[in-house]
Amino acid sequence: MIVLLAYWPLVFGWATIPYGDTQDCWLPWRWLIASILQDGSLPQWNLWQQMGYPLHADLQGPAWYVEAIALGGTVGMGPAVQQGLFLAYIIIGAWGMRRWVEGLGASPSGALLGAAAYALSGFFTGHAMHQFAIISAAWLPWCLWGVQQLLARPGWRSALRLALFASLQLTGGNHSLLILTGYPLMVLVTVELWRTRHDRILTRARSAWGLAAAFTTVLLSAGTFHAAVEAAQYVDRLQGLGLEQAQVNPFTWQAIPSVVFPWAATQGSDQLGTDPTMANAYLGGIACVLVLAGGFRMRRDPTLMALLAVAVPMFLASFGNATAVHGWMWSVVPGMDLFRFPGYFMFPVLLTLVPLAAIGYDALEERLPRWVAAGALVVLALLALSSGPWSVSAPALLDLFRSGIPNIPDPDRAMVHALTIAFWSVAALTLVLAKRNWLFSLLALEGLVAVHATRWHTAMAPMAPSVLQARIDEYPPGPSLPELDPMAMHRDGAGPVAPLWRNTRVFQGGPSHDGFNSFWLTQHHRLVAEHPALYRSMLARPLLSLSWDVRAATDMDDSRIDPQREPDIVIVDGPARPQLRRGEGALTVTAGDHQRLVLNSSTTTEAFLLVQQNHYPGWRVRVDGAPVPVVRANVAAFGVWVPAGEHRVEVAFERRGLAILLQLQHLAWFTGLLLLLWKGGLRKATVPLGLIGLLAWAYAIYGHRSKADRLAEQWPRIQLWAANWPSATMVVNSDRPVPAGDHLTRPFRISAPDRVEGLAAVMQDRPDTLIYAWHGAFASRTQQSWLSLHYRGPVDSLVGPHSGAWLLVRDEQWGTPTVLHRDHELVRLGPDAPYGRDFRISSDSLMGEGGELMVSLRYHGDLGGQGRLVMEQVTDAGTQHYEALPLLGPTGPDGWAEALVVRPVASLIPGARWGTYVWYEGSDSLKVKDFEVMVKKIAPRNR
């Protein structure tokens, strides 16, 4: 209840966590894993980011995590699921902390207080954007408790329990926190073994079952251990970071007040001297007093003394280069050079302070008079309901909540917050008067206020998760076959999947050299840093390309490469072929999935096929079904020699052993879980839950078929349905070759949801009766809006998961939109006038209308992406939402291109001003005309 009250905007979907690593790194990777599973495959390779990289070997990617597999292959992954997991992991961590603290000698009430202090601490609010750290903070207390139970009652149950929790941490959590927690854990084990050193029978039992637990942990985490060993030779970071890199974003002296006062962590980076995520060390004034009270018992408890002995140097190390401790640990202590952010060193400190607070609670609860509690309660309530204490160091609390809760009338937003605090205040007061857990109630209320005061300064934003989900859903379900455009055209950015601005290519289905992740392969680093000319030539080439200019690596001199005159240069390991005769050729992608591409190659002479994916063990290439040698090319990529003529080439990442290993690892994990539950006291309730988890995992692994197989079944039904209207023109949006049928079709491809130029080009004659179909792709909101401006319908339809069709009738007047702004005048944008076509309107004036907000224009000029249509939402506090969508695409017969962008009115932020304008940053000019802003209600037609 405490956690759900603290994070109630997430619970009710009034807010989301769209910023930082959670959405820019964690969500795309998890979404990709779910997409691969639902295509009937297992996650091994990421084709779209960082010129491709091994998903299975990314130690920050949960490709081996049983929860990621079970959820990804069933309910999938999206912002709402991510928020549910965030809340669930806080609760799991608090539950584990309660168990561990109780094992250290605290009473059940004291342990409950420790759990509340942990759940409401600044670690979870400050690191809301670091989902891997949140997962670690959930499982590490359980691992500590598991070690505690193994030492107290050595046996197979304790060993198996510890192995299950440790494997969850190893496969799903942050290894930085694991390393940091490992040292206090080793100290605790050493102290306990020394304390009972004379009991040889107990010592032997602990040693035997401890080794069994370690062996079982390795077995249940075999994939992660394999990845660590394999990737070590391909990733520089696994060899250790330099001291300067390791000291980025420490805790700071300015952030120390955040231990008691949460507003101290809400300042900017300039005031804090670090990233705000590392500055929130909140524990609370009440908890700090209890820590002091617990300190009086510490001298009688060697375990607590050992914890403190580790916490002190960890605390000093958290300041990075402000003290010498971190540098000493980096150079001497194993593992300390493998991660950044000294602010993480505050986590072991938290593991010491929480038990001390719980023990101090036991000492003080019955000694303080109730009037002290009642007075403290009144003070805390006043602090919660007023903006005074926050007015100097941060925006007023009420202003935070006025701008922080969408879809609630402005005067009521602060009231909702006030009622939340008031509810808990009444509950706490009732407990005080009843003499039951009053100190716990005060601490919970204080922590509740702290979470409310600081969460908006971390990663939360006033946006419903459905808004972000709608942007992701604008892209067809994967996998989409890549377009053979220059790699430089496929870039991450805030426009396509706003507000996400990194790792967006996994949603869009286009390969890129971009990517946001610390897992970068060494050779790609070398390509970018040491061979810039060669790298520029690769950006000008597509994912797959043919070359006749092939040279040996021994002859390579990057300074002599001219990407303009040598656009298709390839540098290969091993001997080149000086007799290679230049010819002509073409490539067409005909099939594929997330980890395999099939293409037709047509060349007049022998050529080299360059594949812009990182060279890594597991790539297999077959020409006409026969395997051919894979050659490292252009430092980091690879390719093969393709003979002259027509050939079928298959490029695939195949690691069958990894697939077997994952299945064996997870089956062993579920076997251990069910065995543990079966021997437990509540097996009638817990065993069915374990079986449900096993069934979900089994469905994720074995219950899906590929998109290609499903399309092969669905498309013939679409063709049979379309045969009922032989005179209708049929256009098909497809990312792959469309099987021939009775209808004369016009295939085209629109991969981006905010583009209609391909649709406008293929329908220049505006046929009276139109069959709009999709095959692998589908009609986005923008395409539906464009069609609704010209056609009525659908009169009839047949819609499937991956293909479908509508029958439309031309009617220019059907559902005429409401025009908010119209300007047909021609405007020229250039270096002297880069901005134009500005229109703004209050979001509140549109909220009651519903429907879609549409911006259309025509443009002529440089179509290389220098022109952008910008949409933003601005409040008095600044820009709340920003999108810059590139103006791309083929021109019409008159040289003009058409753009149409559509957004749901429901995505507007109450109280903001919505605006749109055109921005051009090229050196010549861009002409714009027929600029219109409209509102129209459009019924969803598919999905």
Side-chain angles (χ1 to χ4, degrees):
M1 183 176 69
I2 294 169
V3 171
L4 298 182
L5 279 173
Y7 292 94
W8 60 266
L10 292 181
V11 176
F12 292 104
W14 292 338
T16 186
I17 309 178
Y19 304 125
D21 292 6
T22 289
Q23 304 291 27
D24 279 337
C25 184
W26 189 85
L27 178 62
W29 290 174
R30 290 286 298 255
W31 183 90
L32 179 63
I33 288 173
S35 181
I36 293 173
L37 289 168
Q38 294 176 15
D39 194 51
S41 186
L42 294 179
Q44 294 187 2
W45 188 263
N46 183 340
L47 188 69
W48 310 117
Q49 303 282 170
Q50 300 174 192
M51 203 176 77
Y53 82 98
L55 193 64
H56 75 275
D58 183 354
L59 298 181
Q60 290 191 2
W64 299 95
Y65 190 34
V66 65
E67 174 258 288
I69 301 298
L71 278 182
T74 50
V75 300
M77 181 50 57
V81 176
Q82 177 268 323
Q83 290 181 196
L85 287 174
F86 173 74
L87 297 172
Y89 279 123
I90 296 178
I91 295 171
I92 290 171
W95 189 8
M97 179 60 70
R98 179 183 180 181
R99 290 284 187 92
W100 182 56
V101 169
E102 193 169 1
L104 289 174
S107 69
S109 296
L112 182 64
L113 179 138
Y118 187 64
L120 300 175
S121 68
F123 185 87
F124 288 103
T125 50
H127 291 279
M129 63 176 283
H130 299 138
Q131 193 75 20
F132 299 115
I134 297 298
I135 293 175
S136 284
W139 294 126
L140 283 172
W142 287 99
C143 293
L144 292 169
W145 177 69
V147 172
Q148 190 181 72
Q149 293 298 300
L150 180 61
L151 291 173
R153 289 182 290 275
W156 72 267
R157 287 179 57 83
S158 298
L160 181 56
R161 182 192 296 116
L162 173 59
L164 289 172
F165 288 129
S167 67
L168 291 173
Q169 159 60 35
L170 283 164
T171 57
N174 184 316
H175 296 91
S176 304
L177 295 185
L178 175 63
I179 293 171
L180 288 172
T181 307
Y183 286 97
L185 179 60
M186 285 189 292
V187 171
L188 291 178
V189 171
T190 302
V191 168
E192 178 62 20
L193 292 177
W194 176 259
R195 190 177 65 85
T196 59
R197 62 188 183 279
H198 300 299
D199 190 337
R200 295 182 179 180
I201 296 176
L202 181 61
T203 300
R204 284 198 295 266
R206 286 171 169 175
S207 301
W209 288 112
L211 289 173
F215 175 80
T216 307
T217 298
V218 173
L219 176 65
L220 300 183
S221 313
T224 300
F225 282 101
H226 171 270
V229 173
E230 179 181 280
Q233 56 186 314
Y234 296 98
V235 181
D236 283 337
R237 181 174 178 180
L238 297 181
Q239 308 302 320
L241 297 173
L243 180 58
E244 185 176 350
Q245 291 176 292
Q247 290 182 336
V248 173
N249 290 337
F251 191 64
T252 61
W253 302 112
Q254 302 95 301
I256 288 180
S258 69
V259 175
V260 178
F261 306 108
W263 50 262
T266 64
Q267 305 172 74
S269 300
D270 294 339
Q271 292 80 15
L272 292 170
T274 189
D275 190 279
T277 61
M278 299 294 166
N280 193 341
Y282 175 78
L283 187 64
I286 294 175
C288 287
V289 173
L290 296 178
V291 167
L292 295 177
F296 289 104
R297 289 187 53 186
M298 184 173 56
R299 291 175 298 177
R300 300 193 302 270
D301 192 325
T303 302
L304 295 178
M305 289 291 291
L307 280 174
L308 184 64
V310 177
V312 170
M314 291 287 188
F315 175 72
L316 295 175
S318 70
F319 292 93
N321 60 4
T323 69
V325 178
H326 182 271
W328 174 81
M329 285 189 173
W330 173 86
S331 61
V332 175
V333 181
M336 296 299 177
D337 62 341
L338 294 178
F339 59 92
R340 301 168 294 169
F341 308 153
Y344 277 143
F345 279 79
M346 289 299 293
F347 182 72
V349 178
L350 181 64
L351 293 181
T352 300
L353 297 181
V354 169
L356 285 175
I359 291 172
Y361 170 86
D362 294 336
L364 292 181
E365 183 180 24
E366 299 300 330
R367 298 181 183 179
L368 292 181
R370 277 187 293 163
W371 66 267
V372 175
L377 181 64
V378 171
V379 172
L380 287 171
L382 291 176
L383 290 178
L385 297 173
S386 68
S387 59
W390 288 271
S391 61
V392 176
S393 302
L397 183 62
L398 298 184
D399 289 340
L400 286 174
F401 283 87
R402 287 192 183 98
S403 64
I405 309 169
N407 302 323
I408 299 178
D410 187 74
D412 298 336
R413 293 178 203 151
M415 185 182 300
V416 174
H417 161 65
L419 289 175
T420 303
I421 299 296
F423 168 80
W424 189 256
S425 299
V426 171
L429 183 59
T430 301
L431 293 173
V432 168
L433 297 177
K435 300 183 180 180
R436 294 179 60 83
N437 296 333
W438 60 268
L439 203 54
F440 165 80
S441 304
L442 290 181
L443 181 138
L445 177 59
E446 184 188 29
L448 191 69
V449 174
V451 173
H452 278 255
T454 59
R455 64 186 178 200
W456 304 111
H457 298 275
T458 54
M460 286 196 193
M463 181 181 70
S466 58
V467 176
L468 178 55
Q469 186 64 56
R471 295 295 298 146
I472 295 174
D473 288 343
E474 284 286 276
Y475 293 92
S480 295
L481 301 188
E483 296 182 88
L484 297 185
D485 297 324
M487 292 280 279
M489 289 183 62
H490 299 303
R491 304 297 306 272
D492 289 336
V497 198
L500 304 187
W501 64 286
R502 287 170 164 168
N503 296 333
T504 58
R505 298 311 307 179
V506 299
F507 303 107
Q508 301 174 71
S512 175
H513 282 267
D514 291 348
F516 177 60
N517 189 6
S518 60
F519 191 93
W520 283 88
L521 298 181
T522 302
Q523 295 303 322
H524 194 276
H525 273 306
R526 283 191 55 219
L527 170 65
V528 176
E530 302 176 15
H531 307 283
L534 183 63
Y535 176 58
R536 289 197 302 273
S537 74
M538 294 176 68
L539 290 177
R541 302 175 65 172
L543 169 68
L544 303 159
S545 59
L546 295 169
S547 179
W548 289 268
D549 185 1
V550 183
R551 308 175 192 178
T554 54
D555 303 329
M556 181 177 181
D557 184 352
D558 190 76
S559 63
R560 299 176 61 182
I561 294 176
D562 186 346
Q564 298 294 327
R565 293 188 301 173
E566 303 166 309
D568 61 343
I569 186 173
V570 171
I571 309 297
V572 298
D573 286 3
R577 301 198 180 181
Q579 281 78 31
L580 193 65
R581 184 164 53 89
R582 178 168 290 277
E584 296 181 352
L587 294 174
T588 304
V589 181
T590 60
D593 53 38
H594 287 95
Q595 293 150 158
R596 181 182 68 99
L597 294 172
V598 179
L599 53 145
N600 287 336
S601 168
S602 176
T603 62
T604 57
T605 61
E606 183 185 33
F608 188 84
L609 170 64
L610 177 66
V611 181
Q612 292 205 53
Q613 292 287 286
N614 273 295
H615 185 262
Y616 195 87
W619 281 107
R620 307 285 185 267
V621 181
R622 300 176 181 85
V623 177
D624 296 330
V628 295
V630 175
V631 181
R632 183 191 295 273
N634 285 6
V635 182
F638 67 91
V640 296
W641 294 99
V642 178
E646 301 277 345
H647 299 280
R648 180 182 185 272
V649 182
E650 180 182 7
V651 181
F653 187 83
E654 298 176 351
R655 298 287 295 276
R656 293 186 177 90
L658 296 181
I660 295 172
L661 180 61
L662 182 139
Q663 294 172 69
L664 292 177
Q665 171 186 313
H666 286 181
L667 286 173
W669 191 90
F670 276 107
T671 300
L673 175 66
L674 292 173
L675 178 61
L676 202 62
L677 297 178
W678 182 259
K679 294 297 183 179
L682 300 174
R683 63 185 182 187
K684 290 185 178 180
T686 56
V687 170
L689 293 177
L691 289 174
I692 290 173
L694 176 59
L695 291 175
W697 175 87
Y699 178 75
I701 297 292
Y702 307 112
H704 297 283
R705 300 170 59 216
S706 69
K707 179 179 179 179
D709 291 342
R710 286 175 282 174
L711 269 176
E713 292 181 356
Q714 296 168 23
W715 186 246
R717 294 199 294 267
I718 301 297
Q719 292 177 317
L720 185 63
W721 172 86
N724 294 320
W725 295 276
S727 60
T729 299
M730 185 174 181
V731 298
V732 183
N733 185 14
S734 179
D735 67 332
R736 62 198 68 211
V738 179
D742 296 334
H743 249 81
L744 181 62
T745 62
R746 302 179 186 179
F748 68 102
R749 177 172 182 174
I750 300 179
S751 298
D754 293 312
R755 292 172 60 181
V756 295
E757 65 281 349
L759 184 58
V762 79
M763 293 175 53
Q764 294 175 10
D765 55 347
R766 303 288 196 276
D768 292 333
T769 304
L770 174 73
I771 296 177
Y772 179 91
W774 57 94
H775 175 260
F778 68 99
S780 67
R781 186 188 305 271
T782 300
Q783 295 166 41
Q784 294 181 37
S785 300
W786 189 92
L787 290 168
S788 72
L789 295 175
H790 306 282
Y791 288 88
R792 175 170 52 86
V795 178
D796 196 2
S797 65
L798 182 63
V799 177
H802 296 293
S803 62
W806 305 321
L807 179 65
L808 306 174
V809 179
R810 185 173 180 182
D811 186 349
E812 302 283 354
Q813 302 303 316
W814 182 74
T816 304
T818 301
V819 178
L820 303 176
H821 179 75
R822 176 176 288 162
D823 189 349
H824 296 295
E825 181 183 357
L826 186 147
V827 174
R828 186 186 303 271
L829 304 180
D832 297 331
Y835 302 100
R837 298 302 192 191
D838 188 16
F839 173 75
R840 299 182 184 276
I841 191 172
S842 170
S843 298
D844 292 339
S845 65
L846 300 173
M847 294 297 291
E849 298 295 328
E852 315 293 338
L853 190 59
M854 306 163 60
V855 181
S856 69
L857 58 88
R858 302 183 72 204
Y859 56 97
H860 182 281
D862 183 357
L863 302 180
Q866 286 89 345
R868 291 178 174 84
L869 177 65
V870 177
M871 294 186 297
E872 61 183 11
Q873 300 184 60
V874 182
T875 65
D876 293 340
T879 301
Q880 303 297 316
H881 189 73
Y882 179 88
E883 297 181 67
L885 305 169
L887 300 175
L888 301 168
T891 61
D894 57 356
W896 288 83
E898 181 177 355
L900 177 68
V901 177
V902 178
R903 293 291 181 268
V905 172
S907 67
L908 301 182
I909 299 174
R913 285 190 62 80
W914 178 87
T916 181
Y917 58 90
V918 181
W919 168 36
Y920 183 68
E921 57 179 347
S923 58
D924 43 15
S925 65
L926 178 73
K927 292 181 286 187
V928 180
K929 67 177 183 178
D930 298 337
F931 179 73
E932 295 187 10
V933 182
M934 302 165 283
V935 175
K936 184 175 183 179
K937 293 187 177 181
I938 302 169
R941 288 172 167 145
N942 64 321
R943 282 206 153 191

